[in-house]
Amino acid sequence: MDYNFTAEHEAFRQEVRAFLARTLTTEFWERHRAKGGGSSSPEFSQAAGHEGMLAIAWPPEYGGRGKGFFDQMVYTEEMVRAGAPIEHHRRAVQQVGPSIMLFGTEDQKRDYLPRIARGELSFAMGLSEPDAGSDLASVSTLAIRDGDEWVVTGQKRFTSGAHFSDMLWTVARTDPEAPKHRGISILLVSLDLPGVRVVPLIDLQGRHHFNEVFLDGARVPASNVIGDVNRGWYVNASTMDFERSGIARWAFLERTLRRALVEPASAGPAAEAGARSRLAAAAVRTEVAQLLSHRVTALQAGGGLPNYEVSVAKLSVTETIQQVTNTALHRHGMHGLLAEEDQGDAEDAPDMAWGSLYLDSIRHTIGQGAAEIQRNVIANRGLGLPRG
């Protein structure tokens, strides 16, 4: 494939940059900070949706621009490079919407997709549970059919953005007697339903990004099932591929590496010599990670559904992020250990202290499927190795 962007892609890049320049003004950031700051801004999401800057590759009948996957990639790169507060719409546009297009009914597509494209509908992912993390097939959240509703009871943990989202993409067990990879369904649960409670989980840096979500007999319309009942494992597998293949992490890695390369060190010549060598190796890995991410986009553009390829891309990017932040931290000696409390998400704070960035980097190889899970996927589905 040709990894170079076309003139049309670069023209679209300039369009995105112009939108960001007139939207992320000093006045916008002042309003954003006055509201508490962070990585989510309904104001920004709706402004982007109004100008057709969210669902770039979606068909026009669903509110999209009808452009290609490489245009969507260009958009994502520029959003992350600018530190735009994209969390209000990111999961809805990147994961939920494409999954509804693949597995949803026509009514669901007409209902949800235009609202997502306008930046009006936000989603959190109700996946992990106290006893089901990377082994998502072990979920115990139970959904029991009662007439035209599902009665949902259970607990979700490490649910990013549930405190500002409208709905929960929920993995629930709808047939307790079936083998654990079967009998699972995907339900869309409104977070303002009776019986739904969102409790903050504060991370080691004092930030409120994660939540626990308790479902106590929440009654969900039967029409809110995505795909076939008891086939949710396969629906969610595609949803996770959409998430892992995102170019956003690579753009964040690139921004972090560039900062590390231009900042002067403060730990002395000996430490600097070793650090520059490690940063050079990280720069090579960053280029490889970019090509791997572009490969995923190329497969999507060709009508394919990438699988193990997204695991390769995710593993490459996330481990390189840890390499860069670890190296940059050591370049500054004891000063590099400094961390800042509650400065928001790293993706939206390019000048965050290296100590904070290093602590934040730990989550990258855990979230959306731990590194060990990614290696299993690569071995089984990519290399055809037998399961151990």
Side-chain angles (χ1 to χ4, degrees):
M1 62 164 289
D2 184 358
Y3 286 102
N4 294 313
F5 290 104
T6 66
E8 290 77 12
H9 293 146
E10 294 301 337
F12 178 63
R13 187 185 301 278
Q14 295 308 313
E15 182 184 343
V16 176
R17 288 178 177 176
F19 162 75
L20 290 169
R22 65 175 178 269
T23 304
L24 298 179
T25 61
T26 301
E27 292 76 15
F28 168 84
W29 288 118
E30 288 175 351
R31 291 195 303 273
H32 185 60
R33 284 191 292 270
K35 296 174 183 177
S39 56
S40 172
S41 169
E43 177 188 346
F44 176 78
S45 295
Q46 291 174 25
H50 178 74
E51 295 204 28
M53 284 290 170
L54 293 185
I56 306 300
W58 291 15
E61 60 265 31
Y62 299 139
R65 292 276 292 267
K67 298 177 78 67
F69 285 98
F70 277 96
D71 293 292
Q72 184 81 43
M73 184 174 69
V74 166
Y75 148 84
T76 303
E77 284 182 355
E78 295 305 319
M79 289 285 170
V80 175
R81 284 170 174 164
I86 62 176
E87 284 298 291
H88 181 76
H89 65 259
R90 181 181 64 81
R91 284 172 287 271
V93 172
Q94 179 178 299
Q95 298 161 254
V96 174
S99 297
I100 291 175
M101 280 187 231
L102 274 180
F103 301 104
T105 65
E106 288 304 314
D107 286 343
Q108 289 169 339
K109 294 173 186 178
R110 285 191 294 269
D111 182 11
Y112 294 111
L113 295 179
R115 288 191 286 158
I116 292 173
R118 293 194 298 267
E120 298 172 356
L121 189 61
S122 182
F123 277 85
M125 309 306 289
L127 307 178
S128 296
E129 299 180 3
D131 296 316
S134 293
D135 182 17
L136 196 60
S138 295
V139 294
S140 59
T141 293
L142 186 62
I144 299 174
R145 186 67 180 263
D146 181 19
D148 291 332
E149 296 177 316
W150 290 95
V151 181
V152 186
T153 301
Q155 178 184 353
K156 298 295 178 179
R157 180 172 285 180
F158 302 120
T159 310
S160 302
H163 54 301
F164 58 71
S165 296
D166 302 304
M167 302 194 77
L168 191 70
W169 174 276
T170 311
V171 179
R173 190 161 297 283
T174 44
D175 184 355
E177 304 302 320
K180 70 176 190 176
H181 284 82
R182 304 181 187 276
I184 293 174
S185 300
I186 303 297
L187 291 84
L188 304 187
V189 178
S190 294
L191 284 165
D192 60 358
L193 282 176
V196 178
R197 183 164 57 99
V198 178
V199 178
L201 277 178
I202 306 303
D203 70 13
L204 78 170
Q205 297 193 71
R207 301 176 309 180
H208 180 194
H209 176 80
F210 298 116
N211 304 272
E212 290 187 288
V213 180
F214 295 89
L215 303 126
D216 184 12
R219 303 186 74 89
V220 179
S223 59
N224 281 26
V225 173
I226 302 298
D228 295 334
V229 173
N230 297 331
R231 297 284 291 176
W233 172 263
Y234 308 98
V235 175
N236 197 65
S238 294
T239 304
M240 295 305 293
D241 285 343
F242 287 130
E243 181 178 31
R244 293 168 183 156
S245 61
I247 198 71
R249 272 202 176 99
W250 174 81
F252 170 67
L253 166 60
E254 179 205 39
R255 190 177 73 184
T256 305
L257 175 66
R258 288 183 182 276
R259 177 186 164 192
L261 289 171
V262 300
E263 278 191 0
S266 56
E272 176 67 351
R276 297 302 291 183
S277 176
R278 289 192 293 273
L279 286 175
V284 173
R285 292 187 62 174
T286 299
E287 291 294 325
V288 172
Q290 180 189 31
L291 297 179
L292 290 170
S293 297
H294 285 193
R295 180 191 182 203
V296 171
T297 303
L299 289 170
Q300 292 174 320
L305 288 175
N307 186 262
Y308 73 88
E309 296 90 350
V310 301
S311 293
V312 175
K314 178 185 185 292
L315 198 60
S316 176
V317 171
T318 55
E319 291 188 343
T320 307
I321 288 173
Q322 291 183 348
Q323 179 184 355
V324 170
T325 55
N326 180 284
T327 302
L329 180 148
H330 282 87
R331 290 180 72 218
H332 297 285
M334 295 296 290
H335 181 74
L337 298 175
L338 293 176
E340 297 147 322
E341 183 177 358
D342 197 17
Q343 195 183 354
D345 287 345
E347 287 86 345
D348 307 303
D351 298 322
M352 183 181 286
W354 285 112
S356 296
L357 283 170
Y358 174 70
L359 291 173
D360 184 81
S361 73
I362 295 169
R363 68 181 171 91
H364 288 285
T365 53
I366 300 172
Q368 303 169 5
E372 294 79 5
I373 296 297
Q374 306 308 321
R375 287 184 165 86
N376 285 341
V377 170
I378 295 166
N380 297 149
R381 303 177 190 173
L383 300 176
L385 297 178
R387 294 181 181 274

